[in-house]
Amino acid sequence: MHNVRLVSLFVAACFAGCATNAFALDLSLADATQRIVKESHDLKKANANVEKASAQLDAVNANRWFKLEGTATYMNMVDVENPFDSQKITLPGEIGAFLTGNDSPLSIEMPDNMFTAGLSFTQPIYTFGKIGNAVKGVKSAIKMADASKELTQREVVYAAANLYWTAKMTDEIVKISESDLNNARAARKRLTAAGRANRSNLVKIESDIASKEINLSDAKFNRDTAHRMLKIMAGINLDEELVLTDSFPTKFGELNAPAKLESTPEWDILSEQVNMYERMARSERAGAYPTLAATASYSYYSMGSEIGNMFDSKGSQSANLGIALQVPIFSGGINRANATIEAMNAVAAREDLAQSKKITSEKYDNAIKQYNRLRGNLAKLQEARDLAAKAYKFSQDRFGAGQTSAIELADVAAGLYQLDMALLNMKYNILMSEQSVKKLGE
């Protein structure tokens, strides 16, 4: 019966543990990156900028096509002296006699309701580059928006990796701190169980336990903070428990990256910025040149004494076709000034491009060197950590046999703890160096 009860308790404990983990969210680096990219406000703004640039191209391209405008106007001629009466014109008696045979003055009621309607058509034929260069400038702006989106994408992916590995590192630090604390508690248990609890040894161990409890508390706080930040950026409920499924690699291969940086989204942005400013400068210069356009218009005009009879009689119509040459004569030099502004913007962008190539190439080279340097040192650090673990095991055995003091054991334990932390930090730095190379060079 006693054995059955123990088995039941064991099964219940296992079930409780499985139930707890069942509600945790398994999150890999790939899943976290996908979620963070989806939630990124910067990427959403970058997408909006691409659509905005496309709309600007449509707006500039519209200047290539014809313009058709229609107008319709109704007017009533008001007699100021008698606003509510129709306007009348009185002809002298001689004119009345000539028209009617009666020598009395003749009053004629004027048709005071007028309606006009018309259509006008304009089609640019040749603008000396005003429209063409403006269109090319906006196409460069679209390429800049696309490159900016790619740059933002890389930054978000890098930030996602940083968040994930930071959170994973805090998980590992909690484990290291728990192991360090448990070792200290085990040493205290050995000391007190042997019945030889030297006061100085006991005080030293109690002091170590207190400091390691603080370390563990800080590690858990940092872990919770890192997990919360990861949840916020990935759009995960803050009450959700995370299980980060990707682990720090034990070995790192060679980088699959070009030795020399040939192109980056930042360079593409600056290069297209140069093109855009140069084309806008040409467009501004062309503003001082003539514009040749085809024109056409149609108009209709009718009058009546009442609104209802305005269209009883046939109205008057007219139409015309032609070619118009618009020649700017004097504009105060605004075209030349604007062209100079755009040209100087191009000069500044070209200098920014040259500077960016130098700085970004140096960052890329340093990231590769950093990766290779850390990767080369990893095996040595791992070896040092393994030796420290053996030394700690020897010290534990000697302490258990009463051959060493708690001070020596604490020193060896501190050395192992520091090497565990250094090894973890090096792996994190190797991974982030690799992400830096990808961000700059892919």
Side-chain angles (χ1 to χ4, degrees), residues 257-261 359-369 436-438 440-442:
K260 183 179 180 181
L261 193 60
I359 294 175
T360 308
S361 295
E362 182 65 18
K363 288 181 179 178
Y364 180 77
D365 293 341
N366 285 339
I368 293 177
K369 292 176 182 177
S436 295
V437 173
K438 290 181 179 180
L440 294 171
E442 277 191 349

Side-chain angles (χ1 to χ4, degrees), residues 12 28 42 48 54 63 116 129-130 144 153-154 169 190-191 254 294-295 310 314 318 338 371 413 425-426 430:
S28 66
D42 291 334
S54 298
N63 294 322
T116 61
K130 283 194 290 287
M144 289 168 57
Q153 173 97 8
R154 294 188 184 190
M169 185 164 65
R190 284 188 180 186
L191 187 64
E254 293 186 3
T295 62
M310 273 195 308
K314 187 176 181 181
S318 64
N338 286 335
Y371 178 87
N425 190 59
M426 179 173 285
I430 293 174

Side-chain angles (χ1 to χ4, degrees), residues 135-145 269 271-273 275-277 279:
V135 169
K136 290 178 181 178
V138 176
K139 286 181 177 179
S140 290
I142 292 177
K143 293 179 181 178
M144 289 168 57
I269 293 171
S271 178
E272 289 300 331
Q273 194 173 46
N275 293 335
M276 182 186 71
Y277 286 139
R279 286 160 179 166

